[in-house]
């Protein structure tokens, strides 16, 4: 008996242990199968089906820039579903009657997190009327918040916005119905790195992401077309459930591996859009080779703006990398000398921006940051918006030409908000002025519509940047700003005297000993 136990029992114990270990492994494997993510994207027949489980109160990340690359079919479906109390994250407000504006018109959004209003009047109405909370974020910071969120990084530091209300707090998040401020933004932690002040920003993720791509293959890989890529890849990666609408679905392998912009690991649902409007923010003057090139009668205002942008174009040097803001600065492209080549970069994802497109050559997937159809230059490229801000914050641009509401005597800039009245949003301006290495040129009319000066001793409006402006070009002349001496007039426009300019300027103005007529060619 003892020999039996000595021989058999050890063998039996080993067998039992082996079986027990196998059972444990099977249980672990079964648990893995039951909880692991299903990588392959699911294809839905309609947009309505794809958004079926978006519940009230969900946080939704929305791709698109203006009206370019907008998931319009998915947004139409969400509007019909009438889901409410949504928190929506978007680059901007787009345009009235389109995209995210449809959700606003039905009061479906509780809070809107964005960078620029776009052409959305309903957004401003609900914000100032106290019907919707907003959180304004500098464009580059918003892109980085999304990129960090997708990468599992909870927070980061950036120089963008230091010293402004973005840093100090106090931006109205929600108004009361009587126009008083109900909720204000809070101050943010700051820290110095390498002698430069930074503020801490927390990342963003979403319950769902609604994005627009050009094509998807059957594996779920996505590819985008021209400037319609913009914020879509960032939103897609930062969403727990990414729903993509596409113009075409192709067989696996039809999209070359090197042309896959979003791997299928990030995509959960795909639909083929049933219709696309793709509106553009067409400027009536954008079809010409300049502001004055239309057949419409030339107004004094047009002549004034034309003088400003022609002079700004003279600051461009051969081989220069620069960024042009929306509005007046965007017209500089039509006045670049033919004997120089510059590389114009834009926040929504283009390097090599050309002039405005002619009417017979418009492409709604190729627009500038203001939504105007444009041409692209030879040697240019398209990419996502986070790449744009790597170029901007990384110090790769030599110049930025922007608009302004106010400029102070020593170069402070205000161009994004009139509290209680007008909300434009900071867009990419705060990022563009954050580095000392980028020359900042402002193009603006010398006075506001009511005749009040835009040059002030100190800005009265919320700041975009502190001591960041190097040069200002107005209809009255050219002004350089010294951090020590302040505002200095170096050129004067025809039809104005030095006294005229001083009367229209709300701060001390010095006149250069080498003052000359304003150059336009």
């Amino acid at each position: 008996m003892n020999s039996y136990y000595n021989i058999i029992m050890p063998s039996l114990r080993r067998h039992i242990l082996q079986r027990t270990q196998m059972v444990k492994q099977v249980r672990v494997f079964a648990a893995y199968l039951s909880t692991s993510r299903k990588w392959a994207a699911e294809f839905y027949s309609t947009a309505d089906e794809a958004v079926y489980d978006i519940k009230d109160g969900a946080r939704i990340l929305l791709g698109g820039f203006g009206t370019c690359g907008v998931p319009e079919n998915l947004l139409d479906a969400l509007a019909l579903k009438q889901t409410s109390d949504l928190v929506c994250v978007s680059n901007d407000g787009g345009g009235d009657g389109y995209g995210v504006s449809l959700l606003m018109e039905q009061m479906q959004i509780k809070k809107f997190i964005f960078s620029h209003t776009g052409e959305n009047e309903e957004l401003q109405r609900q914000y100032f009327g106290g019907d919707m909370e907003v959180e304004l974020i500098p464009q580059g910071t918003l892109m980085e918040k999304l990129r960090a969120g997708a990468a599992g990084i909870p927070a980061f530091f950036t120089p963008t916005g230091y010293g402004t209300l973005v840093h100090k707090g106090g931006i109205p998040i929600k108004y009361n119905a009587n126009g008083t401020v109900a909720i204000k933004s809070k101050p943010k932690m700051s820290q110095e790195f390498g002698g430069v002040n930074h503020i801490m920003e927390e990342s963003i993720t979403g319950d769902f992401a609604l994005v627009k791509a050009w094509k998807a293959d059957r594996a779920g890989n996505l590819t985008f077309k021209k400037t319609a890529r913009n914020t879509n890849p960032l939103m897609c990666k930062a969403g727990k459930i990414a729903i993509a609408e596409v113009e075409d679905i192709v067989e696996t392998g039809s999209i070359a591996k090197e042309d896959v912009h979003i791997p299928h690991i990030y995509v959960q649902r795909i639909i083929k859009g049933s219709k696309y409007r793709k509106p553009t923010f067409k400027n009536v003057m954008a079809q010409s080779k300049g502001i004055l090139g239309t057949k419409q009668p030339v107004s004094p205002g047009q002549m004034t703006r034309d003088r400003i942008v022609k002079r700004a174009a003279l600051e461009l040097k051969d081989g220069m990398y620069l960024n042009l803001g929306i509005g007046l600065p965007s017209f500089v492209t039509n006045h670049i000398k033919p004997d120089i080549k510059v590389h114009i970069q834009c926040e929504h994802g283009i390097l090599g921006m050309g002039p405005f497109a002619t009417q017979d050559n418009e492409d709604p997937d190729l627009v500038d940051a203001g939504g105007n159809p444009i041409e692209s230059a030879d040697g240019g490229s398209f990419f996502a918006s986070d790449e744009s801000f790597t170029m901007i914050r990384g110090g790769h641009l030599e110049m930025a030409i922007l608009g302004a509401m106010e400029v102070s005597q020593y170069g402070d800039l205000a161009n994004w908000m009139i509290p209680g009245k007008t909300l434009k949003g900071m867009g990419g301006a705060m990022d563009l002025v954050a580095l000392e290495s980028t020359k900042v040129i402002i193009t603006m009319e010398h006075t506001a519509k009511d005749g009040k000066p835009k040059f002030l001793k100190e800005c009265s409006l919320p700041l975009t940047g502190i001591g960041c402006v190097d040069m200002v070009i107005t209809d009255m002349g050219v002004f350089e700003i010294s951090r020590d001496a302040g505002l200095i007039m170096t050129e004067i426009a025809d039809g104005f005297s030095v006294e005229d300019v001083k009367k229209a300027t709300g701060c001390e103005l010095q006149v250069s000993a080498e003052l000359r007529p304003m150059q336009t060619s």
Side-chain angles (χ1 to χ4, degrees):
M1 183 67 72
N2 289 336
S3 62
Y4 174 85
Y5 280 105
N6 290 338
I7 296 171
I8 300 299
M9 292 306 292
S11 176
L12 183 59
R13 283 197 297 268
R14 284 196 299 270
H15 178 72
I16 292 171
L17 286 172
Q18 289 172 355
R19 291 293 301 272
T20 302
Q21 187 63 33
M22 287 176 62
V23 170
K24 287 181 178 178
Q25 289 174 350
V26 169
R27 286 175 177 169
V28 169
F29 184 59
Y32 171 77
L33 287 177
S34 65
T35 60
S36 63
R37 181 173 173 181
K38 184 177 181 181
W39 301 118
E42 296 184 60
F43 289 79
Y44 287 73
S45 299
T46 67
D48 295 337
E49 294 172 1
V51 301
Y52 75 97
D53 57 347
I54 297 181
K55 300 290 195 300
D56 293 351
R59 175 177 285 221
I60 306 176
L61 313 180
L62 304 174
F65 198 109
T67 57
C68 184
V70 173
E72 53 182 285
N73 288 279
L74 291 170
L75 285 166
D76 287 350
L78 197 57
L80 288 172
K81 194 173 186 292
Q82 297 189 335
T83 310
S84 62
D85 291 328
L86 298 172
V87 176
C88 291
V89 181
S90 175
N91 175 71
D92 54 75
D96 286 325
Y98 178 78
V100 70
S101 179
L102 298 176
L103 306 183
M104 293 182 186
E105 289 170 7
Q106 297 186 152
M107 308 293 285
Q108 291 175 257
I109 299 178
K110 178 182 179 181
K111 185 174 183 179
F112 192 51
I113 301 170
F114 69 111
S115 178
H116 196 272
T117 58
E119 301 295 322
N120 193 329
E121 294 297 327
E122 180 64 17
L123 191 165
Q124 298 213 43
R125 188 196 69 76
Q126 289 191 27
Y127 172 54
F128 288 119
D131 296 320
M132 182 172 62
E133 296 179 24
V134 307
E135 183 178 343
L136 281 159
I137 302 174
Q139 205 165 62
T141 299
L142 178 58
M143 300 306 115
E144 192 65 15
K145 279 173 171 276
L146 291 160
R147 192 203 65 79
I153 299 170
F156 58 91
F157 283 91
T158 175
T160 300
Y162 180 84
T164 71
L165 293 183
V166 171
H167 167 212
K168 297 178 178 179
I171 300 175
I173 290 176
K174 190 176 191 301
Y175 281 92
N176 293 309
N178 63 5
T180 59
V181 177
I183 307 172
K184 294 183 179 180
S185 65
K186 297 179 181 180
K188 294 179 179 176
M189 173 183 172
S190 65
Q191 190 166 329
E192 184 180 302
F193 297 94
V196 179
N197 290 308
H198 294 68
I199 60 177
M200 192 182 82
E201 296 280 3
E202 296 182 16
S203 62
I204 289 177
T205 58
D207 300 315
F208 294 87
L210 307 185
V211 301
K212 160 68 171 58
W214 179 31
K215 294 180 181 179
D217 66 17
R218 290 291 175 183
N221 296 309
L222 304 180
T223 189
F224 299 88
K225 188 179 179 184
K226 301 180 181 179
T227 57
R229 192 183 320 185
N230 52 66
T231 68
N232 279 291
L234 291 156
M235 301 294 183
C236 185
K237 294 175 184 179
K240 293 177 183 176
I241 297 177
I243 310 173
E245 66 171 74
V246 299
E247 296 180 41
D248 195 13
I249 298 173
V250 299
E251 294 304 315
T252 302
S254 298
I255 301 173
K257 293 179 178 66
E258 60 268 26
D259 294 332
V260 171
H261 298 143
I262 294 291
H264 57 73
I265 193 171
Y266 296 111
V267 185
Q268 284 70 55
R269 301 175 192 171
I270 295 174
I271 65 143
K272 183 176 179 179
S274 60
K275 61 184 186 303
Y276 287 102
R277 287 188 283 162
K278 291 188 179 182
T280 56
F281 295 148
K282 295 180 183 178
N283 192 306
V284 294
M285 297 180 288
Q287 311 307 323
S288 70
K289 286 297 179 183
I291 288 180
L292 302 183
T294 64
K295 295 181 180 179
Q296 301 298 320
V298 177
S299 69
Q302 286 176 301
M303 293 181 67
T304 293
R305 292 187 287 272
D306 194 59
R307 177 190 303 166
I308 295 169
V309 295
K310 281 184 176 179
R311 176 60 186 84
L314 298 181
E315 291 299 308
L316 308 188
K317 310 300 179 188
D318 192 41
M320 179 178 282
Y321 289 87
L322 71 151
N323 179 287
L324 300 177
I326 62 175
L328 192 58
S330 64
F331 288 97
V332 171
T333 59
N334 289 335
H335 296 286
I336 299 171
K337 290 182 178 180
D339 59 337
I340 69 168
K341 182 175 180 62
V342 295
H343 310 283
I344 302 174
Q345 183 260 19
C346 206
E347 294 93 326
H348 62 319
I350 181 173
L351 179 63
M353 190 172 79
F356 291 122
T358 56
Q359 193 166 4
D360 58 353
N361 196 35
E362 291 181 358
D363 182 346
D365 292 321
L366 179 55
V367 298
D368 65 11
N372 296 299
I374 58 169
E375 297 175 7
S376 58
D378 292 340
S381 56
F382 303 109
F383 35 84
S385 293
D386 59 328
E387 190 76 41
S388 290
F389 286 95
T390 297
M391 298 174 187
I392 292 169
R393 290 195 309 269
H396 301 282
L397 300 184
E398 298 159 76
M399 181 183 291
I401 302 179
L402 306 171
M405 295 177 178
E406 294 176 348
V407 176
S408 80
Q409 181 178 349
Y410 290 95
D412 297 344
L413 171 65
N415 71 351
W416 64 276
M417 183 183 193
I418 301 175
K421 294 182 179 180
T422 302
L423 177 68
K424 291 175 60 179
M426 57 280 290
M430 282 193 177
D431 301 275
L432 287 162
V433 305
L435 298 182
E436 290 186 5
S437 59
T438 304
K439 183 175 182 179
V440 176
I441 297 177
I442 299 300
T443 54
M444 67 178 191
E445 294 184 50
H446 204 93
T447 59
K449 292 180 181 179
D450 60 3
K452 292 182 180 179
K454 291 186 175 182
F455 281 114
L456 300 171
K457 185 175 181 180
E458 293 182 356
C459 292
S460 63
L461 300 175
L463 295 180
T464 304
I466 299 173
C468 57
V469 178
D470 299 291
M471 175 184 284
V472 182
I473 301 170
T474 78
D475 50 308
M476 287 188 165
V478 179
F479 306 82
E480 295 184 5
I481 296 180
S482 165
R483 300 295 174 256
D484 298 319
L487 190 65
I488 304 168
M489 182 166 65
T490 58
E491 298 179 20
I492 188 167
D494 291 343
F496 296 102
S497 67
V498 171
E499 280 304 308
D500 291 334
V501 179
K502 286 187 173 182
K503 287 179 181 178
T505 305
C507 63
E508 183 180 345
L509 173 64
Q510 299 188 48
V511 180
S512 171
E514 299 177 356
L515 181 68
R516 63 175 183 171
M518 186 172 175
Q519 308 298 298
T520 55
S521 62

